[in-house]
Coordinates of all heavy atoms in Angstrom, one line a residue:
M1 N 2.5 4.3 -28.3 CA 1.3 3.5 -28.5 C 0.2 4.1 -27.7 O 0.3 4.1 -26.5 CB 1.7 2.0 -28.2 CG 0.6 1.2 -28.2 SD 1.1 -0.5 -27.8 CE -0.3 -1.2 -27.1
T2 N -0.9 4.4 -28.3 CA -2.1 4.9 -27.6 C -3.0 3.8 -27.3 O -3.2 2.9 -28.2 CB -2.7 6.0 -28.5 OG1 -1.8 7.0 -28.8 CG2 -3.9 6.6 -27.7
I3 N -3.6 3.8 -26.1 CA -4.6 2.8 -25.8 C -6.0 3.4 -25.8 O -6.2 4.6 -25.7 CB -4.3 2.1 -24.5 CG1 -4.4 3.2 -23.3 CG2 -3.0 1.5 -24.4 CD1 -4.3 2.6 -21.9
S4 N -7.0 2.6 -26.0 CA -8.4 3.0 -26.2 C -8.9 3.5 -24.8 O -8.4 3.1 -23.7 CB -9.2 1.9 -26.7 OG -9.4 0.9 -25.8
V5 N -10.0 4.2 -24.9 CA -10.7 4.6 -23.7 C -11.1 3.4 -22.9 O -11.0 3.3 -21.6 CB -11.9 5.5 -24.0 CG1 -12.7 5.8 -22.8 CG2 -11.4 6.8 -24.6
A6 N -11.6 2.4 -23.5 CA -12.0 1.1 -22.9 C -10.8 0.5 -22.1 O -11.0 0.0 -20.9 CB -12.6 0.1 -23.8
E7 N -9.7 0.5 -22.7 CA -8.5 -0.1 -22.0 C -8.1 0.8 -20.9 O -7.7 0.3 -19.8 CB -7.3 -0.3 -23.1 CG -7.6 -1.3 -24.1 CD -6.5 -1.3 -25.2 OE1 -6.2 -0.2 -25.7 OE2 -6.0 -2.5 -25.5
Q8 N -8.2 2.0 -21.1 CA -7.9 3.0 -20.0 C -8.8 2.8 -18.8 O -8.4 2.8 -17.7 CB -7.9 4.4 -20.5 CG -6.9 5.3 -19.9 CD -6.8 6.6 -20.6 OE1 -7.4 6.9 -21.7 NE2 -6.0 7.5 -20.1
T9 N -10.1 2.7 -19.1 CA -11.1 2.5 -18.1 C -10.8 1.1 -17.4 O -10.9 1.1 -16.1 CB -12.5 2.4 -18.7 OG1 -12.7 3.7 -19.4 CG2 -13.6 2.2 -17.6
E10 N -10.4 0.2 -18.1 CA -10.1 -1.2 -17.5 C -8.9 -1.0 -16.6 O -8.8 -1.6 -15.4 CB -9.8 -2.2 -18.6 CG -9.6 -3.6 -18.1 CD -9.4 -4.5 -19.2 OE1 -10.2 -4.5 -20.2 OE2 -8.4 -5.3 -19.2
Q11 N -7.9 -0.2 -17.0 CA -6.7 0.0 -16.2 C -7.1 0.8 -14.9 O -6.6 0.5 -13.8 CB -5.6 0.9 -16.9 CG -4.9 0.1 -17.9 CD -3.8 1.0 -18.5 OE1 -3.6 2.2 -18.1 NE2 -3.1 0.5 -19.5
L12 N -8.0 1.8 -15.1 CA -8.5 2.5 -13.9 C -9.2 1.6 -12.9 O -8.9 1.7 -11.7 CB -9.4 3.7 -14.3 CG -10.0 4.5 -13.2 CD1 -8.9 5.2 -12.3 CD2 -10.9 5.6 -13.8
D13 N -10.0 0.8 -13.4 CA -10.7 -0.1 -12.5 C -9.7 -1.1 -11.7 O -9.9 -1.3 -10.6 CB -11.7 -1.0 -13.3 CG -12.9 -0.2 -13.8 OD1 -13.1 0.9 -13.3 OD2 -13.6 -0.7 -14.7
A14 N -8.7 -1.6 -12.5 CA -7.8 -2.4 -11.9 C -6.9 -1.7 -10.8 O -6.7 -2.2 -9.7 CB -6.8 -3.0 -12.9
E15 N -6.6 -0.5 -11.1 CA -5.8 0.3 -10.1 C -6.7 0.6 -8.9 O -6.2 0.6 -7.8 CB -5.3 1.6 -10.7 CG -4.2 1.4 -11.8 CD -2.9 0.9 -11.3 OE1 -2.6 1.1 -10.1 OE2 -2.2 0.2 -12.1
Q16 N -7.9 0.9 -9.1 CA -8.8 1.2 -7.9 C -9.0 -0.1 -7.1 O -9.0 0.1 -5.8 CB -10.2 1.7 -8.4 CG -10.1 3.1 -9.0 CD -11.4 3.6 -9.7 OE1 -12.1 2.8 -10.3 NE2 -11.7 4.9 -9.4
R17 N -9.0 -1.2 -7.7 CA -9.1 -2.5 -6.9 C -7.8 -2.7 -6.1 O -7.8 -3.0 -5.0 CB -9.4 -3.7 -7.8 CG -10.8 -3.8 -8.3 CD -11.0 -5.1 -9.0 NE -10.2 -5.4 -10.2 CZ -10.4 -5.0 -11.4 NH1 -11.5 -4.3 -11.7 NH2 -9.6 -5.3 -12.4
L18 N -6.7 -2.3 -6.7 CA -5.4 -2.4 -6.0 C -5.3 -1.4 -4.9 O -4.8 -1.7 -3.8 CB -4.2 -2.1 -7.0 CG -3.9 -3.2 -8.0 CD1 -2.8 -2.7 -9.0 CD2 -3.4 -4.4 -7.3
L19 N -6.0 -0.2 -5.1 CA -6.0 0.7 -4.0 C -6.8 0.2 -2.8 O -6.4 0.4 -1.6 CB -6.6 2.1 -4.5 CG -6.5 3.3 -3.6 CD1 -5.0 3.5 -3.3 CD2 -7.1 4.5 -4.3
V20 N -7.9 -0.4 -3.0 CA -8.8 -1.0 -2.0 C -8.0 -2.1 -1.3 O -7.9 -2.1 0.0 CB -10.0 -1.5 -2.5 CG1 -10.8 -2.4 -1.5 CG2 -11.0 -0.4 -3.0
K21 N -7.2 -2.9 -2.1 CA -6.4 -3.9 -1.4 C -5.3 -3.4 -0.6 O -5.0 -3.8 0.5 CB -5.9 -4.9 -2.5 CG -5.1 -6.0 -1.9 CD -4.4 -6.9 -3.0 CE -3.6 -8.0 -2.4 NZ -2.8 -7.8 -1.3
A22 N -4.7 -2.3 -1.1 CA -3.6 -1.6 -0.3 C -4.1 -1.1 1.0 O -3.5 -1.3 2.0 CB -3.0 -0.5 -1.2
D23 N -5.3 -0.5 0.9 CA -5.9 0.0 2.2 C -6.1 -1.1 3.2 O -5.8 -0.9 4.4 CB -7.2 0.8 1.9 CG -7.0 2.1 1.2 OD1 -5.9 2.7 1.4 OD2 -8.0 2.6 0.6
R24 N -6.7 -2.2 2.7 CA -7.0 -3.3 3.5 C -5.7 -3.9 4.1 O -5.5 -4.2 5.3 CB -7.7 -4.4 2.8 CG -8.2 -5.6 3.6 CD -9.1 -6.5 2.9 NE -8.5 -6.9 1.5 CZ -9.0 -6.6 0.3 NH1 -10.1 -5.9 0.3 NH2 -8.4 -7.0 -0.8
D25 N -4.6 -4.1 3.3 CA -3.3 -4.6 3.7 C -2.7 -3.7 4.8 O -2.1 -4.1 5.7 CB -2.4 -4.7 2.5 CG -2.8 -5.9 1.6 OD1 -3.6 -6.7 2.0 OD2 -2.2 -5.9 0.5
I26 N -2.8 -2.4 4.6 CA -2.3 -1.4 5.5 C -2.9 -1.5 6.8 O -2.3 -1.5 7.9 CB -2.3 0.0 5.0 CG1 -1.3 0.1 3.8 CG2 -2.1 1.0 6.1 CD1 -1.4 1.4 3.0
E27 N -4.3 -1.6 6.8 CA -5.0 -1.8 8.1 C -4.7 -3.1 8.8 O -4.4 -3.1 10.0 CB -6.5 -1.7 7.9 CG -7.4 -1.9 9.1 CD -7.0 -0.9 10.2 OE1 -6.7 0.2 9.9 OE2 -7.1 -1.3 11.4
E28 N -4.6 -4.2 8.0 CA -4.2 -5.4 8.7 C -2.8 -5.3 9.2 O -2.5 -5.9 10.3 CB -4.3 -6.5 7.6 CG -5.8 -6.9 7.4 CD -6.0 -7.9 6.2 OE1 -4.9 -8.4 5.7 OE2 -7.1 -8.1 5.8
G29 N -1.9 -4.6 8.5 CA -0.5 -4.5 9.0 C -0.5 -3.7 10.3 O 0.3 -4.1 11.2
C30 N -1.3 -2.7 10.4 CA -1.4 -1.9 11.6 C -1.8 -2.8 12.8 O -1.3 -2.7 13.9 CB -2.3 -0.8 11.5 SG -1.6 0.6 10.5
Q31 N -2.8 -3.7 12.5 CA -3.3 -4.6 13.5 C -2.2 -5.6 14.0 O -2.1 -5.9 15.1 CB -4.5 -5.4 13.0 CG -5.7 -4.5 12.9 CD -6.9 -5.3 12.2 OE1 -6.8 -6.5 11.9 NE2 -8.0 -4.5 11.8
R32 N -1.4 -6.1 13.0 CA -0.3 -7.0 13.3 C 0.7 -6.3 14.2 O 1.2 -6.9 15.2 CB 0.3 -7.4 12.0 CG -0.4 -8.6 11.3 CD 0.5 -9.1 10.2 NE -0.4 -9.7 9.2 CZ -0.8 -9.2 8.1 NH1 -0.3 -8.0 7.7 NH2 -1.6 -9.8 7.2
I33 N 1.0 -5.0 13.9 CA 1.9 -4.3 14.7 C 1.4 -4.2 16.2 O 2.2 -4.4 17.2 CB 2.3 -3.0 14.1 CG1 3.1 -3.2 12.9 CG2 3.0 -2.0 15.1 CD1 3.2 -1.9 12.0
R34 N 0.2 -3.8 16.3 CA -0.4 -3.6 17.6 C -0.4 -4.9 18.4 O 0.0 -5.0 19.6 CB -1.9 -3.1 17.6 CG -2.0 -1.6 17.2 CD -3.3 -1.0 17.4 NE -4.3 -1.6 16.4 CZ -4.6 -1.2 15.2 NH1 -3.9 -0.2 14.7 NH2 -5.5 -1.8 14.4
K35 N -0.7 -6.1 17.8 CA -0.7 -7.3 18.4 C 0.7 -7.7 18.8 O 0.9 -8.3 20.0 CB -1.3 -8.4 17.5 CG -2.8 -8.4 17.4 CD -3.3 -9.4 16.4 CE -4.8 -9.3 16.3 NZ -5.3 -10.3 15.3
Q36 N 1.7 -7.5 18.0 CA 3.0 -7.8 18.3 C 3.5 -6.9 19.4 O 4.3 -7.4 20.3 CB 4.0 -7.7 17.1 CG 5.3 -8.2 17.3 CD 5.4 -9.7 17.6 OE1 4.6 -10.5 17.3 NE2 6.5 -10.1 18.2
E37 N 3.2 -5.7 19.5 CA 3.6 -4.8 20.5 C 3.0 -5.3 21.9 O 3.7 -5.2 22.9 CB 3.2 -3.4 20.2 CG 4.1 -2.7 19.2 CD 3.6 -1.3 18.7 OE1 2.4 -1.0 18.8 OE2 4.5 -0.6 18.2
D38 N 1.8 -5.7 21.8 CA 1.1 -6.3 23.0 C 2.0 -7.5 23.5 O 2.2 -7.7 24.7 CB -0.3 -6.8 22.7 CG -1.2 -5.6 22.6 OD1 -0.9 -4.5 22.9 OD2 -2.3 -5.8 22.0
R39 N 2.3 -8.4 22.6 CA 3.2 -9.6 22.9 C 4.5 -9.1 23.6 O 4.9 -9.8 24.5 CB 3.4 -10.4 21.7 CG 2.2 -11.2 21.2 CD 2.5 -12.0 20.0 NE 1.3 -12.6 19.5 CZ 0.7 -12.3 18.3 NH1 1.3 -11.4 17.6 NH2 -0.4 -12.9 18.0
V40 N 5.1 -8.1 23.0 CA 6.4 -7.6 23.6 C 6.1 -7.2 25.0 O 6.9 -7.5 25.9 CB 6.9 -6.4 22.7 CG1 8.1 -5.8 23.5 CG2 7.4 -7.0 21.3
R41 N 5.0 -6.5 25.3 CA 4.7 -6.0 26.6 C 4.5 -7.2 27.6 O 5.0 -7.2 28.7 CB 3.6 -5.1 26.6 CG 3.9 -3.7 26.2 CD 2.8 -2.7 26.4 NE 1.7 -3.0 25.5 CZ 1.6 -2.5 24.2 NH1 2.6 -1.7 23.8 NH2 0.6 -2.7 23.5
E42 N 3.8 -8.2 27.1 CA 3.6 -9.4 27.9 C 4.8 -10.1 28.2 O 5.1 -10.6 29.3 CB 2.6 -10.4 27.1 CG 1.2 -9.8 27.0 CD 0.3 -10.6 26.1 OE1 0.7 -11.7 25.6 OE2 -0.8 -10.1 25.8
L43 N 5.7 -10.3 27.2 CA 7.0 -10.9 27.4 C 7.8 -10.2 28.4 O 8.4 -10.8 29.3 CB 7.7 -11.1 26.1 CG 7.2 -12.1 25.1 CD1 7.9 -12.0 23.7 CD2 7.4 -13.6 25.7
H44 N 7.8 -8.9 28.2 CA 8.6 -8.0 29.1 C 8.1 -8.2 30.5 O 8.9 -8.3 31.5 CB 8.6 -6.6 28.6 CG 9.5 -5.7 29.4 ND1 10.9 -5.7 29.4 CD2 9.1 -4.7 30.3 CE1 11.3 -4.8 30.2 NE2 10.3 -4.1 30.8
A45 N 6.8 -8.1 30.7 CA 6.2 -8.2 32.0 C 6.5 -9.6 32.6 O 6.6 -9.6 33.9 CB 4.7 -8.0 32.0
G46 N 6.6 -10.6 31.9 CA 6.9 -11.9 32.4 C 8.4 -12.1 32.6 O 8.8 -13.3 32.9
G47 N 9.2 -11.2 32.3 CA 10.7 -11.2 32.6 C 11.4 -12.0 31.4 O 12.5 -12.4 31.6
H48 N 10.8 -12.1 30.3 CA 11.4 -12.8 29.2 C 12.2 -11.8 28.3 O 12.0 -10.7 28.3 CB 10.3 -13.5 28.3 CG 9.5 -14.5 29.0 ND1 9.9 -15.8 29.3 CD2 8.2 -14.4 29.5 CE1 9.0 -16.4 30.0 NE2 8.0 -15.6 30.2
D49 N 13.1 -12.4 27.5 CA 13.9 -11.7 26.5 C 12.9 -11.2 25.4 O 12.2 -12.1 24.9 CB 15.0 -12.6 26.0 CG 15.9 -11.9 24.9 OD1 15.8 -10.6 24.9 OD2 16.6 -12.6 24.2
T50 N 12.9 -10.0 25.1 CA 12.1 -9.4 24.1 C 12.8 -9.0 22.8 O 12.2 -8.5 21.9 CB 11.3 -8.2 24.6 OG1 12.2 -7.2 25.0 CG2 10.4 -8.6 25.8
G51 N 14.0 -9.3 22.7 CA 14.9 -8.8 21.6 C 14.3 -9.3 20.2 O 14.1 -8.4 19.3
Q52 N 14.0 -10.6 20.1 CA 13.5 -11.0 18.8 C 12.1 -10.4 18.5 O 11.8 -10.1 17.4 CB 13.4 -12.5 18.8 CG 14.8 -13.2 18.8 CD 15.4 -13.1 17.4 OE1 15.2 -12.2 16.5 NE2 16.3 -14.1 17.1
A53 N 11.3 -10.4 19.5 CA 9.9 -9.9 19.3 C 10.0 -8.3 19.0 O 9.2 -7.9 18.1 CB 9.1 -10.0 20.6
E54 N 10.9 -7.6 19.5 CA 11.1 -6.2 19.2 C 11.5 -6.0 17.8 O 11.1 -5.1 17.1 CB 12.0 -5.5 20.2 CG 11.3 -5.4 21.6 CD 12.3 -4.9 22.7 OE1 13.5 -4.6 22.3 OE2 11.9 -4.8 23.8
R55 N 12.5 -6.9 17.4 CA 13.0 -6.8 16.0 C 11.8 -7.1 15.0 O 11.8 -6.5 14.0 CB 14.2 -7.8 15.8 CG 15.5 -7.3 16.4 CD 16.7 -8.1 16.0 NE 16.8 -9.3 16.8 CZ 17.2 -9.3 18.1 NH1 17.6 -8.2 18.7 NH2 17.4 -10.5 18.7
L56 N 11.0 -8.0 15.4 CA 9.8 -8.3 14.5 C 8.9 -7.1 14.4 O 8.5 -6.8 13.3 CB 9.1 -9.5 15.0 CG 8.0 -10.0 14.1 CD1 8.4 -10.4 12.7 CD2 7.2 -11.2 14.7
V57 N 8.7 -6.4 15.4 CA 8.0 -5.1 15.4 C 8.6 -4.2 14.4 O 7.9 -3.6 13.5 CB 7.8 -4.5 16.8 CG1 7.2 -3.1 16.6 CG2 6.9 -5.3 17.7
D58 N 9.9 -4.0 14.5 CA 10.7 -3.1 13.6 C 10.5 -3.6 12.1 O 10.2 -2.8 11.2 CB 12.1 -3.1 13.9 CG 12.4 -2.3 15.2 OD1 11.6 -1.6 15.6 OD2 13.5 -2.6 15.8
V59 N 10.5 -4.9 11.9 CA 10.4 -5.4 10.5 C 8.9 -5.1 10.0 O 8.7 -4.6 8.9 CB 10.7 -6.9 10.4 CG1 10.2 -7.5 9.1 CG2 12.1 -7.1 10.6
F60 N 7.9 -5.3 10.9 CA 6.6 -5.0 10.5 C 6.4 -3.5 10.2 O 5.7 -3.2 9.2 CB 5.6 -5.4 11.7 CG 5.3 -6.8 11.9 CD1 4.6 -7.3 13.0 CD2 5.7 -7.8 10.9 CE1 4.3 -8.6 13.2 CE2 5.4 -9.1 11.1 CZ 4.7 -9.5 12.2
K61 N 7.0 -2.7 11.0 CA 6.9 -1.2 10.7 C 7.6 -0.8 9.4 O 7.1 0.0 8.7 CB 7.5 -0.4 11.9 CG 6.6 -0.5 13.1 CD 7.2 0.3 14.3 CE 6.3 0.2 15.5 NZ 6.8 1.0 16.6
Q62 N 8.7 -1.4 9.1 CA 9.4 -1.2 7.8 C 8.6 -1.6 6.7 O 8.4 -0.9 5.6 CB 10.8 -1.8 7.8 CG 11.8 -1.3 8.8 CD 13.0 -2.1 8.9 OE1 13.2 -3.1 8.2 NE2 13.9 -1.8 9.8
T63 N 7.9 -2.7 6.8 CA 7.1 -3.3 5.7 C 5.8 -2.4 5.6 O 5.5 -2.0 4.4 CB 6.6 -4.7 6.1 OG1 7.8 -5.5 6.3 CG2 5.7 -5.3 5.0
L64 N 5.3 -1.9 6.7 CA 4.1 -1.0 6.6 C 4.5 0.2 5.8 O 3.7 0.8 5.0 CB 3.6 -0.7 8.0 CG 2.4 0.2 8.0 CD1 1.2 -0.5 7.3 CD2 2.0 0.4 9.5
T65 N 5.7 0.8 6.2 CA 6.1 2.0 5.5 C 6.2 1.8 4.0 O 5.8 2.6 3.2 CB 7.5 2.4 6.0 OG1 7.4 2.8 7.4 CG2 8.1 3.6 5.3
E66 N 6.7 0.7 3.5 CA 6.8 0.3 2.1 C 5.4 0.2 1.5 O 5.2 0.6 0.4 CB 7.6 -0.9 1.9 CG 9.1 -0.7 2.2 CD 9.7 0.5 1.5 OE1 9.5 0.7 0.3 OE2 10.5 1.3 2.2
W67 N 4.5 -0.5 2.2 CA 3.1 -0.6 1.7 C 2.5 0.8 1.6 O 1.8 1.0 0.6 CB 2.3 -1.4 2.7 CG 2.6 -2.9 2.7 CD1 3.4 -3.6 1.8 CD2 2.1 -3.9 3.5 NE1 3.5 -4.9 2.1 CE2 2.6 -5.1 3.2 CE3 1.2 -3.8 4.7 CZ2 2.3 -6.3 3.9 CZ3 0.9 -5.0 5.3 CH2 1.4 -6.2 4.9
E68 N 2.8 1.7 2.5 CA 2.2 3.1 2.4 C 2.7 3.8 1.2 O 2.0 4.5 0.5 CB 2.4 3.8 3.7 CG 1.6 3.3 4.9 CD 2.0 3.8 6.3 OE1 3.2 4.2 6.4 OE2 1.1 3.7 7.2
R69 N 4.1 3.6 1.0 CA 4.7 4.3 -0.2 C 4.0 3.7 -1.5 O 3.8 4.4 -2.4 CB 6.2 4.0 -0.2 CG 6.9 4.8 0.8 CD 8.4 4.5 0.8 NE 9.0 5.3 1.8 CZ 10.2 4.9 2.4 NH1 10.9 3.9 1.9 NH2 10.7 5.7 3.3
H70 N 3.8 2.4 -1.5 CA 3.2 1.8 -2.7 C 1.8 2.3 -2.9 O 1.4 2.5 -4.0 CB 3.3 0.2 -2.5 CG 2.8 -0.4 -3.8 ND1 1.7 -1.3 -3.8 CD2 3.3 -0.5 -5.1 CE1 1.5 -1.8 -4.9 NE2 2.4 -1.3 -5.8
R71 N 1.1 2.5 -1.8 CA -0.3 3.0 -1.9 C -0.3 4.3 -2.5 O -1.2 4.7 -3.3 CB -0.9 3.0 -0.5 CG -2.4 3.3 -0.6 CD -2.9 4.0 0.7 NE -4.3 4.3 0.5 CZ -4.8 5.4 -0.1 NH1 -3.9 6.3 -0.6 NH2 -6.0 5.7 -0.2
V72 N 0.7 5.2 -2.2 CA 0.7 6.5 -2.7 C 0.9 6.4 -4.2 O 0.2 7.2 -5.0 CB 1.9 7.3 -2.1 CG1 2.2 8.6 -2.9 CG2 1.6 7.6 -0.6
L73 N 1.8 5.5 -4.7 CA 2.0 5.4 -6.1 C 0.7 4.9 -6.8 O 0.4 5.4 -7.9 CB 3.1 4.4 -6.4 CG 4.5 4.8 -6.0 CD1 5.5 3.7 -6.2 CD2 4.9 6.1 -6.7
I74 N 0.0 4.0 -6.2 CA -1.3 3.5 -6.8 C -2.3 4.7 -6.9 O -3.0 4.9 -7.9 CB -1.9 2.4 -6.0 CG1 -0.9 1.1 -6.0 CG2 -3.3 2.0 -6.5 CD1 -1.3 0.1 -5.0
A75 N -2.4 5.5 -5.8 CA -3.3 6.6 -5.8 C -2.9 7.6 -6.8 O -3.8 8.2 -7.5 CB -3.3 7.2 -4.4
Q76 N -1.7 7.9 -7.1 CA -1.2 8.8 -8.1 C -1.6 8.3 -9.4 O -2.1 9.1 -10.3 CB 0.3 9.0 -8.0 CG 0.7 9.8 -6.9 CD 2.2 9.8 -6.7 OE1 3.0 9.1 -7.3 NE2 2.7 10.8 -5.9
R77 N -1.5 7.0 -9.7 CA -1.9 6.4 -11.0 C -3.4 6.5 -11.2 O -3.9 6.8 -12.3 CB -1.4 4.9 -11.0 CG -1.7 4.2 -12.3 CD -1.0 4.8 -13.5 NE -1.4 4.0 -14.7 CZ -1.2 4.4 -15.9 NH1 -0.7 5.6 -16.2 NH2 -1.6 3.6 -16.9
V78 N -4.1 6.3 -10.1 CA -5.6 6.4 -10.2 C -6.0 7.8 -10.6 O -6.8 8.0 -11.5 CB -6.3 6.0 -8.9 CG1 -7.7 6.4 -8.8 CG2 -6.2 4.5 -8.7
A79 N -5.4 8.8 -9.9 CA -5.7 10.2 -10.2 C -5.3 10.6 -11.6 O -6.1 11.3 -12.3 CB -5.0 11.1 -9.2
Y80 N -4.2 10.1 -12.1 CA -3.7 10.3 -13.5 C -4.7 9.8 -14.5 O -5.1 10.5 -15.4 CB -2.3 9.8 -13.7 CG -1.9 9.8 -15.1 CD1 -1.6 11.0 -15.8 CD2 -1.9 8.6 -15.9 CE1 -1.1 11.0 -17.1 CE2 -1.5 8.6 -17.2 CZ -1.1 9.8 -17.8 OH -0.7 9.8 -19.1
L81 N -5.1 8.5 -14.3 CA -6.1 7.9 -15.2 C -7.4 8.6 -15.2 O -8.0 8.8 -16.2 CB -6.2 6.4 -14.9 CG -5.0 5.5 -15.3 CD1 -5.2 4.2 -14.6 CD2 -4.8 5.5 -16.7
Q82 N -7.9 9.0 -14.0 CA -9.1 9.7 -13.9 C -9.1 11.1 -14.7 O -10.0 11.4 -15.4 CB -9.5 10.0 -12.4 CG -9.9 8.8 -11.7 CD -10.1 9.0 -10.2 OE1 -9.5 9.8 -9.6 NE2 -11.0 8.2 -9.6
R83 N -7.9 11.8 -14.5 CA -7.8 13.1 -15.2 C -7.8 12.8 -16.7 O -8.4 13.6 -17.5 CB -6.5 13.7 -14.8 CG -6.5 14.4 -13.5 CD -5.3 15.3 -13.2 NE -4.0 14.7 -13.5 CZ -3.4 14.0 -12.6 NH1 -3.8 13.9 -11.3 NH2 -2.2 13.5 -12.8
Q84 N -7.1 11.8 -17.2 CA -7.0 11.5 -18.6 C -8.4 11.2 -19.2 O -8.8 11.7 -20.2 CB -6.0 10.3 -18.8 CG -4.6 10.7 -18.6 CD -4.1 11.8 -19.4 OE1 -4.1 11.8 -20.7 NE2 -3.5 12.8 -18.8
L85 N -9.1 10.3 -18.4 CA -10.4 10.0 -18.9 C -11.4 11.2 -18.9 O -12.2 11.4 -19.8 CB -11.0 8.8 -18.0 CG -10.4 7.5 -18.4 CD1 -10.8 6.4 -17.3 CD2 -10.8 7.0 -19.7
A86 N -11.3 12.0 -17.8 CA -12.2 13.2 -17.8 C -11.9 14.2 -18.8 O -12.8 14.8 -19.4 CB -12.0 13.8 -16.4
A87 N -10.6 14.2 -19.3 CA -10.3 15.2 -20.4 C -10.5 14.6 -21.7 O -10.3 15.3 -22.7 CB -8.8 15.6 -20.1
G88 N -10.8 13.3 -21.7 CA -11.0 12.7 -23.0 C -9.7 12.5 -23.8 O -9.7 12.3 -25.0
K89 N -8.6 12.4 -23.0 CA -7.3 12.2 -23.7 C -6.9 10.8 -23.6 O -7.0 10.1 -22.6 CB -6.2 13.0 -22.9 CG -6.4 14.5 -23.0 CD -5.3 15.2 -22.2 CE -5.5 16.7 -22.2 NZ -4.5 17.4 -21.4
P90 N -6.5 10.2 -24.7 CA -5.9 8.8 -24.7 C -4.6 8.8 -23.9 O -3.9 9.7 -24.0 CB -5.8 8.5 -26.1 CG -5.7 9.8 -26.9 CD -6.4 10.7 -26.1
D91 N -4.4 7.7 -23.3 CA -3.2 7.6 -22.5 C -2.2 6.8 -23.4 O -2.6 5.9 -24.1 CB -3.4 6.7 -21.3 CG -2.2 6.4 -20.5 OD1 -1.2 7.1 -20.6 OD2 -2.3 5.4 -19.7
A92 N -1.0 7.3 -23.5 CA 0.0 6.6 -24.3 C 0.7 5.5 -23.5 O 1.7 5.0 -24.0 CB 1.1 7.6 -24.7
G93 N 0.1 5.1 -22.4 CA 0.7 4.0 -21.6 C 1.9 4.4 -20.8 O 2.6 3.6 -20.3
Q94 N 2.1 5.8 -20.7 CA 3.2 6.3 -20.0 C 2.7 7.1 -18.8 O 1.6 7.7 -18.8 CB 4.0 7.2 -20.9 CG 4.6 6.5 -22.2 CD 5.7 5.5 -21.9 OE1 6.5 5.8 -21.0 NE2 5.8 4.4 -22.6
W95 N 3.6 7.3 -17.9 CA 3.4 8.2 -16.8 C 3.7 9.6 -17.3 O 4.5 9.8 -18.2 CB 4.3 7.9 -15.6 CG 3.8 6.8 -14.8 CD1 4.0 5.5 -15.0 CD2 2.9 6.8 -13.7 NE1 3.4 4.7 -14.1 CE2 2.7 5.5 -13.3 CE3 2.3 7.8 -12.9 CZ2 1.9 5.2 -12.1 CZ3 1.6 7.5 -11.9 CH2 1.4 6.1 -11.4
P96 N 3.0 10.6 -16.8 CA 3.3 12.1 -17.3 C 4.6 12.5 -16.8 O 5.2 11.9 -15.8 CB 2.2 12.8 -16.5 CG 1.8 12.0 -15.4 CD 2.0 10.6 -15.8
E97 N 5.2 13.4 -17.5 CA 6.5 14.0 -17.1 C 6.3 14.8 -15.9 O 5.2 15.5 -15.7 CB 7.0 14.9 -18.2 CG 7.4 14.1 -19.5 CD 8.6 13.1 -19.2 OE1 9.5 13.5 -18.5 OE2 8.5 12.0 -19.8
P98 N 7.2 14.8 -14.9 CA 7.0 15.6 -13.7 C 7.0 17.1 -14.0 O 7.4 17.6 -14.9 CB 8.3 15.2 -12.9 CG 9.1 14.3 -13.7 CD 8.5 14.1 -15.0

């Protein structure tokens, strides 16, 4: 099933918005990690148990890694749609073969 140039352009716009959101989410995630690491240092300096706080940092970092992977996929889709539109080729709604 081939989609129109207008639909492809709409998809590209949507993917570009997702890319902006992904960048914002990643930046906010980095800020959360820094704040939590600060809390761990404060807890440690105060002689408190930091085990749970450190585990939360690990979870934040794992989540950030997944967000970064997802961002790569969005960027790849944006690049693909841009190439298709620039070449004047209709998209069959499928990802290209590797």
Side-chain angles (χ1 to χ4, degrees):
M1 174 178 152
T2 302
I3 63 172
S4 71
V5 171
E7 290 171 319
Q8 212 168 355
T9 301
E10 188 176 310
Q11 283 184 8
L12 176 59
D13 291 343
E15 293 293 333
Q16 288 173 323
R17 285 190 301 273
L18 287 173
L19 191 57
V20 169
K21 182 183 181 320
D23 286 337
R24 187 174 50 247
D25 290 345
I26 288 169
E27 178 56 34
E28 289 172 5
C30 289
Q31 289 173 6
R32 281 187 203 102
I33 290 169
R34 285 190 296 271
K35 287 179 183 178
Q36 186 64 21
E37 287 173 334
D38 290 344
R39 288 182 186 109
V40 169
R41 282 189 288 278
E42 289 169 10
L43 288 170
H44 184 72
H48 299 283
D49 179 19
T50 60
Q52 290 284 28
E54 289 171 1
R55 282 189 281 285
L56 186 56
V57 169
D58 290 339
V59 169
F60 283 169
K61 287 180 179 180
Q62 291 168 8
T63 301
L64 182 61
T65 297
E66 293 306 315
W67 287 353
E68 289 168 338
R69 287 179 184 158
H70 186 240
R71 187 207 178 278
V72 168
L73 294 175
I74 297 168
Q76 289 172 344
R77 180 69 176 158
V78 165
Y80 169 73
L81 290 169
Q82 287 172 334
R83 285 192 308 272
Q84 293 298 305
L85 285 168
K89 295 180 185 175
D91 179 20
Q94 302 284 329
W95 282 85
E97 292 296 318

